[in-house]
PDB file of all heavy atoms in Angstrom:
ATOM      1  N   THR A   4      -4.760 -12.382  -6.094  1.00  0.00           N
ATOM      2  CA  THR A   4      -4.567 -11.034  -5.575  1.00  0.00           C
ATOM      3  C   THR A   4      -4.944 -10.020  -6.652  1.00  0.00           C
ATOM      4  O   THR A   4      -5.005 -10.331  -7.830  1.00  0.00           O
ATOM      5  CB  THR A   4      -3.096 -10.783  -5.178  1.00  0.00           C
ATOM      6  OG1 THR A   4      -2.273 -10.923  -6.336  1.00  0.00           O
ATOM      7  CG2 THR A   4      -2.637 -11.754  -4.109  1.00  0.00           C
ATOM      8  N   ALA A  11       2.399   8.877  -8.239  1.00  0.00           N
ATOM      9  CA  ALA A  11       2.227  10.171  -7.569  1.00  0.00           C
ATOM     10  C   ALA A  11       1.011  10.932  -8.079  1.00  0.00           C
ATOM     11  O   ALA A  11       0.427  11.726  -7.349  1.00  0.00           O
ATOM     12  CB  ALA A  11       3.485  11.015  -7.743  1.00  0.00           C
ATOM     13  N   ASP A  12       0.611  10.681  -9.332  1.00  0.00           N
ATOM     14  CA  ASP A  12      -0.534  11.428  -9.870  1.00  0.00           C
ATOM     15  C   ASP A  12      -1.858  10.674  -9.766  1.00  0.00           C
ATOM     16  O   ASP A  12      -2.887  11.159 -10.223  1.00  0.00           O
ATOM     17  CB  ASP A  12      -0.276  11.841 -11.324  1.00  0.00           C
ATOM     18  CG  ASP A  12      -0.037  10.648 -12.238  1.00  0.00           C
ATOM     19  OD1 ASP A  12       0.238   9.559 -11.738  1.00  0.00           O
ATOM     20  OD2 ASP A  12      -0.118  10.831 -13.465  1.00  0.00           O
ATOM     21  N   ARG A  25     -13.498   1.769  10.715  1.00  0.00           N
ATOM     22  CA  ARG A  25     -12.457   1.491   9.723  1.00  0.00           C
ATOM     23  C   ARG A  25     -12.267   2.696   8.825  1.00  0.00           C
ATOM     24  O   ARG A  25     -13.058   3.632   8.857  1.00  0.00           O
ATOM     25  CB  ARG A  25     -12.783   0.250   8.900  1.00  0.00           C
ATOM     26  CG  ARG A  25     -14.020   0.359   8.051  1.00  0.00           C
ATOM     27  CD  ARG A  25     -14.288  -0.897   7.267  1.00  0.00           C
ATOM     28  NE  ARG A  25     -14.449  -2.021   8.147  1.00  0.00           N
ATOM     29  CZ  ARG A  25     -15.279  -3.028   7.962  1.00  0.00           C
ATOM     30  NH1 ARG A  25     -16.037  -3.059   6.885  1.00  0.00           N
ATOM     31  NH2 ARG A  25     -15.360  -4.006   8.806  1.00  0.00           N
ATOM     32  N   ALA A  26     -11.211   2.654   8.035  1.00  0.00           N
ATOM     33  CA  ALA A  26     -10.924   3.700   7.067  1.00  0.00           C
ATOM     34  C   ALA A  26     -11.129   3.155   5.667  1.00  0.00           C
ATOM     35  O   ALA A  26     -10.927   1.969   5.415  1.00  0.00           O
ATOM     36  CB  ALA A  26      -9.483   4.183   7.226  1.00  0.00           C
ATOM     37  N   VAL A  36     -10.390   1.631  -6.972  1.00  0.00           N
ATOM     38  CA  VAL A  36     -10.118   0.450  -6.163  1.00  0.00           C
ATOM     39  C   VAL A  36     -10.209   0.937  -4.726  1.00  0.00           C
ATOM     40  O   VAL A  36      -9.658   1.984  -4.380  1.00  0.00           O
ATOM     41  CB  VAL A  36      -8.708  -0.114  -6.453  1.00  0.00           C
ATOM     42  CG1 VAL A  36      -8.361  -1.216  -5.485  1.00  0.00           C
ATOM     43  CG2 VAL A  36      -8.635  -0.610  -7.884  1.00  0.00           C
ATOM     44  N   ASP A  41      -9.339  -1.855   8.896  1.00  0.00           N
ATOM     45  CA  ASP A  41      -9.867  -1.777  10.256  1.00  0.00           C
ATOM     46  C   ASP A  41      -9.015  -0.830  11.090  1.00  0.00           C
ATOM     47  O   ASP A  41      -7.805  -0.706  10.863  1.00  0.00           O
ATOM     48  CB  ASP A  41      -9.885  -3.155  10.917  1.00  0.00           C
ATOM     49  CG  ASP A  41     -10.962  -4.053  10.364  1.00  0.00           C
ATOM     50  OD1 ASP A  41     -11.913  -3.553   9.739  1.00  0.00           O
ATOM     51  OD2 ASP A  41     -10.845  -5.278  10.552  1.00  0.00           O
ATOM     52  N   ILE A  45      -4.631   0.200  11.013  1.00  0.00           N
ATOM     53  CA  ILE A  45      -4.120   1.437  10.420  1.00  0.00           C
ATOM     54  C   ILE A  45      -2.669   1.674  10.827  1.00  0.00           C
ATOM     55  O   ILE A  45      -1.823   1.985   9.987  1.00  0.00           O
ATOM     56  CB  ILE A  45      -5.015   2.636  10.780  1.00  0.00           C
ATOM     57  CG1 ILE A  45      -6.373   2.482  10.091  1.00  0.00           C
ATOM     58  CG2 ILE A  45      -4.358   3.957  10.390  1.00  0.00           C
ATOM     59  CD1 ILE A  45      -7.412   3.498  10.524  1.00  0.00           C
ATOM     60  N   ALA A  46      -2.365   1.506  12.087  1.00  0.00           N
ATOM     61  CA  ALA A  46      -0.988   1.706  12.555  1.00  0.00           C
ATOM     62  C   ALA A  46      -0.048   0.674  11.933  1.00  0.00           C
ATOM     63  O   ALA A  46       1.089   0.997  11.567  1.00  0.00           O
ATOM     64  CB  ALA A  46      -0.930   1.636  14.077  1.00  0.00           C
ATOM     65  N   LEU A  59      13.525   1.438   0.329  1.00  0.00           N
ATOM     66  CA  LEU A  59      13.690   2.039  -0.999  1.00  0.00           C
ATOM     67  C   LEU A  59      14.663   3.204  -0.956  1.00  0.00           C
ATOM     68  O   LEU A  59      15.501   3.365  -1.855  1.00  0.00           O
ATOM     69  CB  LEU A  59      12.336   2.484  -1.555  1.00  0.00           C
ATOM     70  CG  LEU A  59      11.367   1.355  -1.927  1.00  0.00           C
ATOM     71  CD1 LEU A  59       9.995   1.929  -2.260  1.00  0.00           C
ATOM     72  CD2 LEU A  59      11.902   0.522  -3.069  1.00  0.00           C
ATOM     73  N   VAL A  72      14.869  -8.156  -8.741  1.00  0.00           N
ATOM     74  CA  VAL A  72      13.629  -8.897  -8.554  1.00  0.00           C
ATOM     75  C   VAL A  72      13.041  -8.462  -7.223  1.00  0.00           C
ATOM     76  O   VAL A  72      13.753  -8.397  -6.218  1.00  0.00           O
ATOM     77  CB  VAL A  72      13.907 -10.417  -8.553  1.00  0.00           C
ATOM     78  CG1 VAL A  72      12.639 -11.195  -8.238  1.00  0.00           C
ATOM     79  CG2 VAL A  72      14.503 -10.843  -9.878  1.00  0.00           C
ATOM     80  N   GLY A  80      14.617 -11.074   7.149  1.00  0.00           N
ATOM     81  CA  GLY A  80      14.800 -11.209   8.583  1.00  0.00           C
ATOM     82  C   GLY A  80      14.210 -10.079   9.404  1.00  0.00           C
ATOM     83  O   GLY A  80      14.499  -9.943  10.560  1.00  0.00           O
TER      84      GLY A  80
END
Side-chain angles (χ1 to χ4, degrees):
T4 61
D12 60 343
R25 64 180 59 144
V36 172
D41 287 341
I45 292 172
L59 291 171
V72 175

